């Protein structure tokens, strides 16, 4: 049985220290290799992985090489660094589907809105059961707190910074959110 994984903000080849430093690396090269290693230790070839934007920056050739080393069926939700040129490169990669700037995913009767940017998904429904609400899964802000925007809406961050430089399963995300909501009651 395949597993659904999510992550965001890989930033392959982004040479600025403010990207790789807070993630615990000494260089962008070290970060690039750790992302590939961590991903491939967890994800199986038959798994589905949704990457919520910002795959790479600067070196498109090396970025695509690293991307193609990642196993699984990869779905890209575009982010602010996913330019039209990069988007065309992604479309040529094996096991890769570019889904656009947003994507609705239904999993075990729960709706998830996948986007690069944190998005408000509530409709005055905070008193409704979780299954009747839409959960936004996002990245973009490079936070190490998966609940960074939870006070604004039902928003959960999947970026690498919030998950020890690894993708996270949708089942773990759902458990985290249920636990968080129970803590707030």
């Amino acid at each position: 049985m395949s597993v659904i994984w999510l992550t965001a903000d890989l930033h392959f080849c982004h040479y600025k220290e403010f990207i790789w430093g807070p993630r615990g690396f000494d260089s962008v090269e070290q970060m690039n290799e750790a992302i590939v290693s961590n991903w491939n230790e967890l994800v199986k070839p038959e798994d589905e992985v949704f990457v919520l934007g910002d795959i790479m920056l600067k070196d498109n050739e090396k970025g695509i090489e690293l991307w193609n080393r990642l196993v699984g069926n990869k779905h890209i939700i575009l982010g602010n660094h996913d330019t039209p040129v990069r988007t065309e490169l992604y479309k040529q990669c094996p096991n890769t589907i570019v889904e656009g700037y947003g994507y609705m995913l239904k999993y075990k009767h729960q709706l998830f809105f996948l986007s690069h940017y944190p998005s408000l998904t509530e409709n005055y429904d905070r008193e409704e059961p979780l299954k009747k609400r839409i959960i936004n899964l996002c990245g973009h802000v490079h936070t190490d707190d998966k609940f960074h925007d939870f006070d604004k809406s039902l928003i959960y961050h999947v970026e690498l910074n919030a998950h020890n430089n690894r993708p996270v399963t949708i089942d773990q995300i759902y458990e985290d959110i249920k636990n968080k909501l129970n803590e707030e009651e």
Side-chain angles (χ1 to χ4, degrees):
M1 187 165 127
S2 68
V3 174
I4 296 175
W5 297 88
L6 293 107
T7 192
D9 298 287
L10 305 181
H11 283 265
F12 282 141
C13 305
H14 194 158
Y15 64 86
K16 300 279 182 141
E17 191 275 336
F18 75 86
I19 294 294
W20 48 263
R23 293 178 178 181
F25 301 108
D26 295 323
S27 69
V28 67
E29 293 81 15
Q30 185 184 46
M31 178 192 76
N32 289 343
E33 290 303 319
I35 291 169
V36 172
S37 177
N38 291 345
W39 176 306
N40 289 342
E41 285 175 14
L42 298 170
V43 177
K44 304 295 180 247
E46 66 273 12
D47 290 348
E48 304 293 324
V49 186
F50 289 86
V51 182
L52 309 186
D54 290 3
I55 310 302
M56 61 184 172
L57 206 68
K58 299 299 176 197
D59 187 343
N60 289 351
E61 185 176 329
K62 178 69 174 172
I64 290 295
E65 174 198 314
L66 291 159
W67 176 256
N68 285 332
R69 288 174 51 199
L70 301 173
V71 300
N73 299 303
K74 299 168 283 193
H75 303 261
I76 297 173
I77 309 306
L78 298 170
N80 54 299
H81 292 297
D82 300 313
T83 63
V85 168
R86 290 189 187 111
T87 300
E88 288 307 312
L89 291 172
Y90 303 151
K91 288 178 180 178
Q92 297 169 29
C93 294
N95 304 319
T96 300
I97 299 171
V98 176
E99 301 288 3
Y101 287 95
Y103 185 83
M104 289 297 293
L105 176 66
K106 188 172 187 175
Y107 181 73
K108 294 184 179 178
H109 307 289
Q110 181 67 56
L111 279 175
F112 296 88
F113 177 65
L114 312 183
S115 60
H116 179 63
Y117 306 101
S119 300
L120 301 178
T121 57
E122 292 189 5
N123 188 26
Y124 304 105
D125 57 2
R126 287 184 185 226
E127 302 304 317
E128 294 290 332
L130 186 56
K131 296 261 190 225
K132 292 190 174 207
R133 299 168 69 190
I134 298 172
I135 299 169
N136 172 233
L137 304 180
C138 66
H140 184 61
V141 299
H142 300 242
T143 182
D144 60 0
D145 177 7
K146 56 193 168 199
F147 295 110
H148 178 76
D149 291 302
F150 210 71
D151 60 325
K152 298 176 184 89
S153 187
L154 204 52
I155 297 171
Y156 183 98
H157 286 263
V158 301
E159 54 257 64
L160 288 176
N161 301 56
H163 297 279
N164 201 25
N165 301 304
R166 290 167 169 73
V168 60
T169 67
I170 197 160
D171 290 313
Q172 182 63 57
I173 291 167
Y174 193 66
E175 278 303 307
D176 287 350
I177 292 169
K178 286 194 313 187
N179 291 337
K180 177 74 170 171
L181 290 172
N182 284 337
E183 289 171 11
E184 292 180 353
E185 290 179 353

